[in-house]
Amino acid sequence: MSIEAIFNEFPILKSDRLIMKKIEEKDLEGVFAIYHNERVFEYCGIIPKHNKDTVRKMISHFERDYIKRTRIKWGIFLNDELAGIIEAFDFNQKVNMCTIGYFLAESYWGKGIATEAVNVLLAFLYNEGNVNRVQAEVMPQNESSKKVLLKNGFMYEGTLRQATLWSGKGIVDLEIYSILREEYIK
């Protein structure tokens, strides 16, 4: 895994219609709109935020986590509008793997944006970051997220029963999906 390639300079990732880039304070309204919506986090271990100052502080935490090389969050922009957030975290250099997560503003659901953003992120992690395994944890009820992963070649590995405590959800089951470098680069 090339941690330097991932964390040396904040990567800007692009597809035909999306730009994935650093979230900045000027994006506060868009970030707040996402984090304020209860439905966005129905199947996540994230508690919605209803205070703009709290969200403003979160944006600075995104930068802090990047500098500490523990997590990288990209804003997913479509036509200069923040459509969602995608992240890579839990970098394990011993086995060259990381975990990804993503969520979209509700108005962008069902438009293929998450599928496209995951595809762009995978290309970066495999081609630039030299990662071997990418995984995602999904609550069993989150059918939309499972479809995004399966469309990108992830395989369902199994369910971890009552495996984690997610804020606002209690102890939950998690389904694990993964894709290996050899499966992605054919």
Side-chain angles (χ1 to χ4, degrees):
M1 177 183 307
S2 177
I3 281 293
E4 287 303 317
I6 296 169
F7 288 102
N8 186 37
E9 181 179 330
F10 198 97
I12 297 172
L13 311 179
K14 297 179 181 180
S15 69
D16 289 341
R17 67 179 179 151
L18 303 177
I19 296 177
M20 295 158 49
K21 61 185 180 177
K22 184 177 179 179
I23 298 167
E24 299 177 299
E25 178 134 357
K26 66 183 172 81
D27 304 312
L28 176 62
E29 292 301 322
V31 176
F32 181 72
I34 291 170
Y35 276 91
H36 184 67
N37 186 333
E38 304 269 342
R39 290 190 45 174
V40 170
F41 301 107
E42 184 176 359
Y43 302 118
C44 289
I46 297 171
I47 296 174
K49 310 293 185 270
H50 303 297
N51 180 303
K52 277 192 187 172
D53 286 331
T54 300
V55 174
R56 182 178 284 111
K57 288 176 189 164
M58 282 175 42
I59 292 172
S60 68
H61 292 169
F62 299 167
E63 174 75 11
R64 178 202 64 200
D65 293 344
Y66 178 76
I67 290 168
K68 289 169 70 177
R69 297 179 171 211
T70 58
R71 178 181 301 257
I72 181 168
K73 284 189 190 242
W74 288 266
I76 304 168
F77 291 86
L78 176 67
N79 302 323
D80 291 327
E81 297 270 333
L82 182 65
I85 295 171
I86 192 165
E87 62 183 329
F89 57 98
D90 287 345
F91 292 91
N92 182 332
Q93 294 184 66
K94 291 179 182 171
V95 293
N96 292 336
M97 71 173 263
C98 68
T99 303
I100 64 166
Y102 45 86
F103 40 91
L104 297 178
E106 188 173 2
S107 60
Y108 290 98
W109 291 358
K111 298 179 184 335
I113 293 168
T115 300
E116 188 172 334
V118 167
N119 186 270
V120 171
L121 179 54
L122 288 175
F124 170 73
L125 291 171
Y126 288 125
N127 297 326
E128 305 298 322
N130 201 28
V131 171
N132 182 56
R133 172 188 164 94
V134 177
Q135 70 178 27
E137 300 170 343
V138 182
M139 286 181 72
Q141 304 89 334
N142 193 345
E143 295 298 329
S144 296
S145 189
K146 291 189 245 185
K147 287 177 186 173
V148 166
L149 296 169
L150 293 171
K151 286 179 186 174
N152 275 289
F154 282 72
M155 293 177 52
Y156 167 72
E157 291 188 339
T159 300
L160 302 175
R161 299 177 308 139
Q162 298 180 10
T164 194
L165 177 64
W166 272 12
S167 300
K169 306 288 184 241
I171 297 172
V172 298
D173 294 349
L174 289 178
E175 292 184 3
I176 302 295
Y177 291 78
S178 73
I179 182 169
L180 301 177
R181 178 182 184 81
E182 64 194 38
E183 296 162 343
Y184 177 77
I185 300 173
K186 296 177 184 172

